Amino acid sequence: MHIKKISLFQSVMLALGSLIGSGWLFGAWEATKIAGPAAIISWLVGGLVIGIIAYTYIEIGAMFPEAGGMSKYAQYSHGSLLGFIAAWANWVSLITLIPIEAVAAVQYMSTWPWAWAKWTHHLMNHGVVTNVGLLVVFGFIIIFTLLNYWSVKVLTHFTSLISIFKIGMPLLTIILLTLSGFHPQNYGTSWHEFFPYGTSAIFSATSAAGIIFSFDAFQTIINMGAEIEHPEKNILRGITISLLISGILYVLLQSTFITAVPTHILQTSGWNGLNFTSPFADLAMLLGLNWLSVLLYMDAFVSPFGTGVSFAATAARALFALESNHHLPHFLGKLNPKYRIPRMAMLADTVLSIVMVSTFRSWAVLATVLSTATLIAYLTGPVTAVSLRKLGAHLYRPVHLKRLPIIAPIAFVLTSLAVYWAMWPTTVQVILIILVGLPFYFYYEWKMGFKELRAAIKPALWMFGYLIFISVMSYAGAHQFNGVNWIHYPWDFLVITVVSFGFYQWGIHSWTTSDLSAAEKVNQRVSRD
């Protein structure tokens, strides 16, 4: 049966539907509270980090276009143990994104100013979802699932439509807020005014303000690689176009927020004293644009909603791919024969999302955890891409990146720094969440008679060493990142750069051929196309 593929336009819209979510509604405000006007640099840094990471995945994404591909690449190059760790970390981040976007929608609903919407004021209490709010969050999560349940066609039609609206609203906000209140003097006229909280705040804002989180969704295209038309061309194009569009929007939104805040408010409270509930909507009302605030309240519902729908699809494919590594229950790897969609994985994600948001009811807590988990999963991308140049030199490469040997170590080091920027104790907490998955791996290894374990341990040792190192650095690092200040800023950056490069070298020399045959089978399908 012919399955309709996703076009380049649809893949870009799908990625933008994921990229432009609750990040633009909260990120600019959160970043200015942390870094002041220098927050605009934070967006450039965050975009650079994710862009370089994405570059290392383009070659292997085109080589292995398959559902949930980012959950499999590390296993192809370094065996089942490292593959499981990377896939589990990636899945943890994806499964967290579903309730995050539902919580974001409910949080904005809780500030609706209309008389008929007074009931929504009981959905949140000081940034935490109430019991009544949980029921609404559950409803959103179920709708996210249902919109993905029947076919890719339904998904792409929905997200293409909603993504156009999601791009239009930020643009409208930029134009109208700039015309109504433009105060370029808010950037300051001195070093201290531009960097009111020091240069280290630029980096801490990338994680704490959700900037890394806002750029993270490029993997939507890679995880749906098997369903994209001409993946050898459109994976590269889709990622590049969607990251450029979202990056430009985020930088413009940050600048608009900085210049739209009335100067007298800053003189009273300072940047870290800005106390908004619905940042851009609150600014619109301050500037007398009440009708724009109404549109922003609507978009605060639509943007997270669209992202939640997109990630319900991505998370299901990641769990489907994780099962194919043979370390999770078999039923999670079943595809619906008619629509070729991993429905059981999708339903499992729905249940786990409900459990997660019942435990962690704050958008900020969920966002911090998922950003760090994603970055740890991304550490394997540069290592796998370079290792496959040696291990799988004979494999067909629709895209051959000339600068990969140079960019890959840079990507690894930048990712390590971004993990550190998440600050103590978040780094260690997320590492522990990732390690929680290891009992599943060892249980299924036991059931299989530990056939793969011996061969899989050695190629994964570098990752365990790395996780210990970054945990110690998070504790011992500069006080600006919640460390005990044994290693002062910026010397902490230098230590992480040098030692991380050593772990990268260890990683690219630890590859194994144990799962190469599986990689070859997927790659053969590409070469025949």
Side-chain angles (χ1 to χ4, degrees), residues 239-313:
I239 290 174
T240 302
I241 294 170
S242 59
L243 280 178
L244 280 175
I245 292 174
S246 59
I248 291 169
L249 272 177
Y250 283 134
V251 170
L252 289 175
L253 281 163
Q254 180 64 75
S255 182
T256 299
F257 185 87
I258 291 169
T259 57
V261 176
T263 303
H264 71 274
I265 293 179
L266 290 177
Q267 292 172 345
T268 302
S269 63
W271 290 106
N272 60 3
L274 293 177
N275 188 22
F276 294 140
T277 302
S278 308
F280 282 106
D282 290 346
L283 271 179
M285 286 190 284
L286 281 173
L287 298 174
L289 298 172
N290 293 332
W291 65 272
L292 177 61
S293 69
V294 173
L295 286 179
L296 285 165
Y297 278 121
M298 291 173 58
D299 186 71
F301 169 78
V302 173
S303 289
F305 194 89
T307 304
V309 171
S310 296
F311 270 96

Side-chain angles (χ1 to χ4, degrees), residues 7 10 12 22 60 73 84 132-133 202 215 217 279 337 339 380 499:
S7 68
Q10 289 172 326
V12 170
S22 54
I60 49 180
Y73 304 144
F84 182 87
V132 175
I202 295 171
F215 282 113
Y339 298 114
T380 61
V499 178

Side-chain angles (χ1 to χ4, degrees), residues 221-234:
I221 294 176
I222 292 178
N223 277 321
M224 300 190 72
E227 293 134 300
I228 294 176
E229 287 179 347
H230 308 297
E232 70 280 359
K233 298 177 181 178
N234 288 343

Side-chain angles (χ1 to χ4, degrees), residues 75 80 325 327 441 445 448 450-457:
Q75 178 159 342
S80 62
N325 295 345
H327 291 94
Y441 176 86
E445 277 297 306
M448 293 184 289
F450 297 106
K451 293 180 180 179
E452 298 181 6
L453 186 58
R454 288 186 179 181
I457 287 179

Side-chain angles (χ1 to χ4, degrees), residues 51 78 89 133 145 147 165 184 189 205 218 233 264 293 295 304 323 336 346 395 409 418-419 440 444 493 513 516:
H78 287 75
T145 301
L147 284 170
F165 179 78
T189 56
F218 77 87
K233 298 177 181 178
H264 71 274
S293 69
L295 286 179
E323 185 282 330
N336 177 268
M346 195 173 290
L395 296 173
V419 171
F440 288 99
Y444 280 94
F493 283 23
T513 60
L516 185 59

